[in-house]
Amino acid sequence: MPDRFLPSEFIVNVDHQRCRRCKRCILNCGFGVFDFQNMTTADSSKCVACHRCVVFCPEEAITITRNPLAYREHASWDVELRKAIWKQAQNSGMILTGMGNDKPWLNIFDHLLIDACQVTNPSIDPLREPMELRTYLGRKPDRLEVKLDSEGKIVLENPLENNIMINVPIIFSGMSYGSISLNAQRAIAIAAERLGTLMNTGEGGLHEELYPYADHIIVQCASGRFGVHSKYLNAGVAVEIKIGQGAKPGIGGHLPGEKIGREVSGTRMIPQGTDALSPAPHHDIYSIEDLRQLIYALKEATGYKPVSVKIATVHNVAAIASGIARAGADMIYLDGFRGGTGASPAVVRDHVGIPIEIAIAVVDEQLRNEGIRNMVSIIAAGGIRSSADVVKAIALGADAVAIGTAALIAMGCRLCQKCYTGNCSWGIATQRPELTSRLDPDWGAERLVNLVNSWSLEVKEVLGALGINAIESLRGNRDRLRSLGLDPATNEVLGVKPVGK
Amino acid sequence: MSLEVSDNSMKWRFDFSRIPSACGLSGFINRDGNRVGGEVIIESMRVMNERGNGLGGGFAGYGIYPEYAEDYALHIMFESQEGKLACEALLKENVNVEKMEEIPTEPNERIVNPPILWRYFCKPRAEKLNETGKSEDDFIVDLVMQINTDVPGSFVFSSGKNMGVFKAVGFAEDVGDFYRLGEYKGYAWIGHTRFPTNTPGWWGGAHPFNILDWSVVHNGEISSYGTNKRYLEMFGYRCTLLTDTEVMAYLFDLLIRKHRLPIEIACSVMAAPFWKDIDRTNGDERKLYESLRSVYAGALVNGPFAVIVGFSRGLMGLNDRIKLRPLVAAEKNEYIYISSEEAAIREICPKPERIWAPRAGKPVIALLRDGA
């Protein structure tokens, strides 16, 4: 039987009329597609359609097409299912994948429409009037004690404490050093500082070089405790306990030994070349009261910095979130089932968890019903693709959103979903020095700043159309959303009326 | 959101959608506490006939029931005698009624289909207060909420002490005549005429909105309605009327009565200063406004509004943070006037000593003088 039992997904074509044999494609491809034997040759079976060669070919000589090979149609036996079986029949094991869920599940964001002002109330022009996006993350008291002193001066007895101010309600999600390159993390850190927002270390510790960005960093404490020490915990403005991740709810992580070079090893505090295995649960958290202990241990260790708890959105997310709020968390990071990852078994990525839209709605509603919404900020992630999604997520009840995949795409990622191979041609999801060195942190940072600034402009434009000039007046304002094409039960869960109502 | 509303009786109360409306407002106070007849506020409102379309008008007078000053004066409208009986049974259980009577009216051809209108001067029963452990005010608020949501065909539209709200579907001046306001004397009056963009069939939807001694007349559409409503629900308020003004009234009640914030501070929550202005302050002041905006983010009222709020100690006028609706104030001797239009003030006070346009988000507060 031939080695190549599976046909190539893509066909790489080099136009030899145009090719000047400069060999840039050979250098640029992280997956070893190209070779040179008198002329440039391509092994299509290795191509992941990441476009690195296409972008860097000075002669535009390379085209990549989907392999048009016909498969006998079968409504039930989708081609992808057949390919999965062929792969597993060949090499026993789970099918790995990267990035977020790529299955065509209903995308609720795309069924929500935003309101605008006409006649009865004026819309506001964001170019002429202030339009405020500033957001405070953290626990807030349910009321303020304000008194007048004997001279009639106003005295605030319980000022807001331990909150983090962000200029835009968009932060960067946790992507560890190890899963992405140090240059990618550098770019994100620079961008977070310039934007006045936050980045998140993910579970890979914090490289010494990033300590100067401390005011814009959330440090993560995950089940593997990689790189967690007291200086690290105190390095950021908040600590996040990562319980789960949207792309792989309920399971641990595995960073293969070949990605654990000297720098990653030092940052993660594990021997070079060993696999970094994150357990599925935290082995000191088997229940909600254990979470409370860790939350307060981290608060004690950091002088009471805000603590965030990150969970994957699962069926019972509302009750879990309520428990987390009562356990003392200051922020709840909800990671929807479209959230990205460096590596996940496809079966989990594609079939476990629930959409972020539903999770925001039910968590916000549950916390309000219990009168404890003020105790936590809700950060929504896992499927935020555009400024429209930002607006909708906040209108459903989130305080802010986090973006991971969108940030990577801004830095060149083509969503080839091969992060787990460590061959990322764009220098993002790789530790190979010849690949990571091609991502210039300043270039990446500029693109991230451009992206977030663009989305901010768009959010402001929509707010103006809504006649709202502060983001908090959008938060939980489901009255300004209508659904189109969702079933009544989903509408009720979302707390959104159908169009026309 | 109307999703949870299925009870047929509720249809009497509102038509399941929020009604945007524009309006005219006027109010004045005699800061010495001297009482003047209700015909004065009717004359002020008559000038602003243009600002309404005959689909809602109303008034609130303060100091009008001195003989029952210690009783809660519940003004209730009933759809039917059955509704009235059900409501009165609930009242009997919970309050001692000092006096009950039909609200005097002078029917005219421009005010049609009036509901049954009665008033009850009452105090919470002592054993009920002990049983529930609530303050008198909280007890009355909860009772009003209960009647308005649970008793079919009954609606309490006024529940303060020594004050009363009078409202109907019609032009303000006709509503004032209908209720014979000239026969009452009060130290403060507010009035409202309404221009809703569809046809409400219900008297309860007219302004002022009232809870305890708080009455609100409002011109505006709240763009943050969903946020404000859901915020209030966390504190036990039930927004049953789906109107913006109800939200305004409850926010004032929450901030000033329940959270005991000074009026100026409550105003800077609802019409919050911009961050760019807060950033220019320092130290305690900056911390105060940063805390207010963060903690009370759900109480920021966004969108165009001008309100006049009446309460036992005085009147307050406030505009939204970028002044998208008109509001004028004036002063003469012990009187302070607040109105949508200067003309409405000059009609009842031709030569004020001072007349000005209050700045966006900056309240005009006119309190009774000490001892008044």
Side-chain angles (χ1 to χ4, degrees):
Chain A
M1 198 55 70
D3 281 350
R4 254 183 239 159
F5 187 82
L6 274 171
S8 303
E9 283 199 68
F10 306 100
I11 304 291
V12 181
N13 183 48
V14 179
D15 181 344
H16 294 291
Q17 296 284 324
R18 307 187 77 151
C19 177
R20 290 199 191 172
R21 292 135 175 82
C22 71
K23 302 183 186 172
R24 276 192 181 84
C25 51
I26 301 173
L27 283 173
N28 270 284
C29 182
F31 292 84
V33 168
F34 296 99
D35 200 357
F36 194 81
Q37 288 152 356
N38 296 325
M39 60 174 163
T40 308
T41 61
D43 176 355
S44 289
S45 71
K46 293 178 179 167
C47 178
V48 300
C50 80
H51 296 183
R52 181 79 189 183
C53 56
V54 175
V55 171
F56 279 81
C57 175
E59 302 303 324
E60 293 188 74
I62 302 171
T63 48
I64 296 168
T65 50
R66 175 162 290 285
N67 188 342
L69 182 67
Y71 292 81
R72 184 76 166 90
E73 286 80 9
H74 195 294
S76 181
W77 286 98
D78 181 78
V79 175
E80 293 306 315
L81 290 170
R82 281 176 260 178
K83 284 184 185 168
I85 288 176
W86 289 325
K87 282 181 196 164
Q88 290 185 307
Q90 189 160 330
N91 299 308
S92 180
M94 290 191 287
I95 293 177
L96 272 186
T97 187
M99 303 315 288
N101 198 324
D102 66 356
K103 295 287 173 281
W105 298 100
L106 177 77
N107 202 318
I108 293 172
F109 280 135
D110 294 339
H111 291 263
L112 294 174
L113 293 167
I114 303 165
D115 192 19
C117 296
Q118 295 290 292
V119 183
T120 55
N121 55 351
S123 41
I124 303 170
D125 191 335
L127 295 176
R128 295 187 173 87
E129 307 274 355
M131 201 51 77
E132 303 182 315
L133 300 184
R134 187 187 292 186
T135 300
Y136 285 73
L137 299 177
R139 173 169 298 232
K140 295 164 187 73
D142 62 358
R143 59 180 287 188
L144 289 175
E145 303 285 346
V146 177
K147 299 248 159 65
L148 295 175
D149 69 8
S150 53
E151 292 161 10
K153 193 169 164 278
I154 289 162
V155 180
L156 174 59
E157 304 200 330
N158 59 336
L160 183 73
E161 282 170 350
N162 297 329
N163 267 247
I164 307 163
M165 185 188 99
I166 48 176
N167 287 338
V168 288
I170 302 168
I171 65 174
F172 295 110
S173 60
M175 291 177 284
S176 71
Y177 175 38
S179 77
I180 62 172
S181 64
L182 188 56
N183 276 346
Q185 272 205 347
R186 280 191 188 107
I188 297 170
I190 296 167
E193 184 177 67
R194 279 171 54 188
L195 290 162
T197 187
L198 301 170
M199 72 166 284
N200 184 313
T201 60
E203 63 172 310
L206 183 65
H207 193 275
E208 279 293 331
E209 266 192 43
L210 296 180
Y211 275 75
Y213 299 95
D215 288 348
H216 300 279
I217 291 179
I218 297 176
V219 295
Q220 206 178 70
C221 171
S223 61
R225 298 289 194 274
F226 299 121
V228 175
H229 48 85
S230 92
K231 189 182 164 203
Y232 166 79
L233 289 176
N234 281 287
V237 287
V239 183
E240 180 167 276
I241 300 169
K242 178 198 163 187
I243 299 293
Q245 189 178 335
K248 40 182 175 179
I251 70 169
H254 178 186
L255 191 67
E258 48 269 34
K259 284 193 179 177
I260 316 286
R262 197 168 63 86
E263 295 292 313
V264 174
S265 143
T267 305
R268 292 206 173 206
M269 304 194 306
I270 52 171
Q272 223 168 308
T274 57
D275 289 4
L277 294 165
S278 306
H282 285 245
H283 282 301
D284 53 357
I285 304 177
Y286 282 7
S287 179
I288 190 79
E289 66 271 21
D290 297 339
L291 175 69
R292 184 181 179 82
Q293 288 192 2
L294 182 58
I295 288 172
Y296 279 94
L298 291 173
K299 287 189 176 188
E300 288 290 335
T302 58
Y304 279 74
K305 283 184 181 167
V307 171
S308 163
V309 174
K310 174 176 178 175
I311 52 170
T313 59
V314 291
H315 300 179
N316 201 23
V317 65
I320 296 164
S322 161
I324 291 170
R326 292 179 188 283
D330 304 276
M331 296 180 249
I332 300 178
Y333 184 121
L334 300 171
D335 202 13
F337 85 144
R338 285 194 170 82
T341 176
S344 169
V347 63
V348 176
R349 187 196 74 170
D350 295 345
H351 298 278
V352 180
I354 64 169
I356 188 61
E357 302 92 321
I358 297 290
I360 299 167
V362 297
V363 168
D364 179 60
E365 188 65 21
Q366 175 89 21
L367 297 180
R368 284 171 188 271
N369 286 344
E370 295 184 29
I372 56 172
R373 179 64 182 82
N374 56 293
M375 284 166 63
V376 285
S377 294
I378 297 174
I379 298 164
I384 306 295
R385 307 155 300 164
S386 65
S387 58
D389 290 355
V390 177
V391 169
K392 293 169 188 178
I394 293 175
L396 285 171
D399 290 86
V401 302
I403 54 168
T405 302
L408 300 188
I409 292 174
M411 290 193 288
C413 167
R414 291 305 207 260
L415 221 61
C416 76
Q417 309 183 36
K418 300 292 179 195
C419 324
Y420 61 95
T421 64
N423 293 327
C424 179
S425 305
W426 292 90
I428 300 168
T430 176
Q431 301 303 326
R432 285 165 53 188
E434 76 278 16
L435 298 178
T436 61
S437 64
R438 59 179 59 166
L439 177 61
D440 174 1
D442 290 319
W443 176 86
E446 192 185 334
R447 295 179 66 86
L448 292 169
V449 169
N450 286 344
L451 174 74
V452 174
N453 282 342
S454 306
W455 284 15
S456 297
L457 282 174
E458 290 174 337
V459 170
K460 288 178 179 181
E461 201 68 37
V462 174
L463 285 184
L466 284 164
I468 283 174
N469 54 15
I471 192 78
E472 59 259 43
S473 295
L474 178 68
R475 197 178 306 144
N477 198 347
R478 301 176 188 179
D479 205 41
R480 308 304 296 277
L481 294 176
R482 290 291 184 275
S483 74
L484 179 60
L486 293 177
D487 61 283
T490 305
N491 286 338
E492 201 177 324
V493 168
L494 290 169
V496 170
K497 289 184 249 186
V499 287
K501 290 278 185 178
Chain B
M1 208 137 301
S2 66
L3 292 173
E4 65 270 24
V5 178
S6 57
D7 180 357
N8 274 342
S9 70
M10 300 293 282
K11 282 189 179 155
W12 179 67
R13 298 188 178 157
F14 52 82
D15 64 355
F16 289 87
S17 64
R18 219 152 49 84
I19 304 161
S21 56
C23 313
L25 323 171
S26 196
F28 67 87
I29 181 171
N30 181 304
R31 295 185 62 209
D32 287 343
N34 295 327
R35 301 192 302 142
V36 294
E39 69 280 358
V40 179
I41 190 73
I42 295 177
E43 290 319 304
S44 178
M45 291 307 300
R46 197 186 301 279
V47 180
M48 294 192 291
N49 178 284
E50 280 275 307
R51 299 189 72 89
N53 63 359
L55 293 175
F59 300 88
Y62 288 82
I64 60 170
Y65 294 134
E67 63 276 32
Y68 298 103
E70 295 310 309
D71 292 307
Y72 291 94
L74 304 185
H75 290 192
I76 310 184
M77 55 179 76
F78 302 106
E79 179 188 20
S80 64
Q81 284 298 339
E82 293 79 54
K84 181 165 176 283
L85 289 174
C87 184
E88 284 174 353
L90 186 66
L91 286 177
K92 204 174 159 192
E93 245 177 70
N94 289 287
V95 295
N96 291 319
V97 179
E98 193 72 26
K99 181 182 170 68
M100 52 193 275
E101 62 184 358
E102 195 167 2
I103 298 175
T105 55
E106 178 70 50
N108 66 51
E109 72 276 12
R110 289 177 302 279
I111 303 294
V112 294
N113 294 329
I116 301 164
L117 297 159
W118 275 61
R119 62 189 171 201
Y120 304 80
F121 297 95
C122 58
K123 288 190 182 73
R125 296 175 78 110
E127 71 270 21
K128 283 284 175 183
L129 289 178
N130 287 338
E131 205 177 284
T132 56
K134 291 176 191 164
S135 70
E136 288 202 345
D137 278 355
D138 282 341
F139 185 86
I140 292 293
V141 170
D142 291 349
L143 182 64
V144 170
M145 295 274 165
Q146 193 187 348
I147 294 171
N148 290 358
T149 27
D150 299 340
V151 182
S154 303
F155 180 69
V156 183
F157 61 100
S158 186
S159 54
K161 288 179 178 173
N162 197 14
M163 60 80 59
V165 166
F166 305 89
K167 60 186 185 179
V169 172
F171 281 101
E173 56 273 24
D174 297 331
V175 174
D177 292 341
F178 173 79
Y179 280 107
R180 297 155 59 175
L181 287 194
E183 296 170 17
Y184 298 86
K185 283 187 183 308
Y187 59 82
W189 287 95
I190 56 179
H192 184 264
T193 188
R194 188 158 185 241
F195 196 133
T197 48
N198 62 1
T199 314
W202 183 53
W203 285 33
H207 299 203
F209 278 90
N210 163 279
I211 187 79
L212 298 174
D213 71 338
W214 297 100
S215 303
V216 178
V217 289
H218 167 240
N219 171 16
E221 180 171 346
I222 304 179
S223 308
S224 55
Y225 176 81
T227 298
N228 302 136
K229 171 182 174 284
R230 298 181 74 226
Y231 176 73
L232 285 165
E233 283 168 352
M234 274 188 36
F235 295 93
Y237 294 90
R238 282 175 283 174
C239 299
T240 52
L241 306 176
L242 301 179
T243 69
D244 294 347
T245 312
E246 183 188 31
V247 159
M248 284 290 208
Y250 295 161
L251 283 172
F252 280 114
D253 185 64
L254 174 75
L255 297 175
I256 297 175
R257 185 176 67 84
K258 283 199 175 164
H259 288 188
R260 301 187 184 290
L261 298 180
I263 297 174
E264 299 86 341
I265 294 294
C267 291
S268 58
V269 164
M270 293 171 68
F274 285 97
W275 287 118
K276 67 181 172 57
D277 298 323
I278 295 174
D279 288 346
R280 277 201 284 267
T281 61
N282 293 305
D284 288 348
E285 195 183 359
R286 192 194 145 100
K287 195 73 209 169
L288 171 69
Y289 287 103
E290 185 181 44
S291 302
L292 284 170
R293 278 203 67 177
S294 306
V295 173
Y296 289 108
L300 168 63
V301 180
N302 224 306
F305 72 80
V307 286
I308 303 175
V309 180
F311 47 103
S312 56
R313 288 182 300 126
L315 285 190
M316 195 272 292
L318 180 68
N319 262 135
D320 64 83
R321 58 205 308 242
I322 50 176
K323 195 157 177 128
L324 294 171
R325 290 282 157 95
L327 197 69
V328 183
E331 184 173 14
K332 179 158 189 178
N333 302 329
E334 69 271 29
Y335 286 95
I336 300 281
Y337 301 86
I338 309 171
S339 177
S340 296
E341 295 187 9
E342 188 175 332
I345 294 176
R346 291 200 184 269
E347 178 69 17
I348 54 174
C349 174
K351 290 202 167 72
E353 289 154 14
R354 186 160 79 96
I355 190 153
W356 73 98
R359 299 196 60 176
K362 297 279 181 240
V364 177
I365 299 170
L367 301 181
L368 285 175
R369 292 199 172 113
D370 291 341

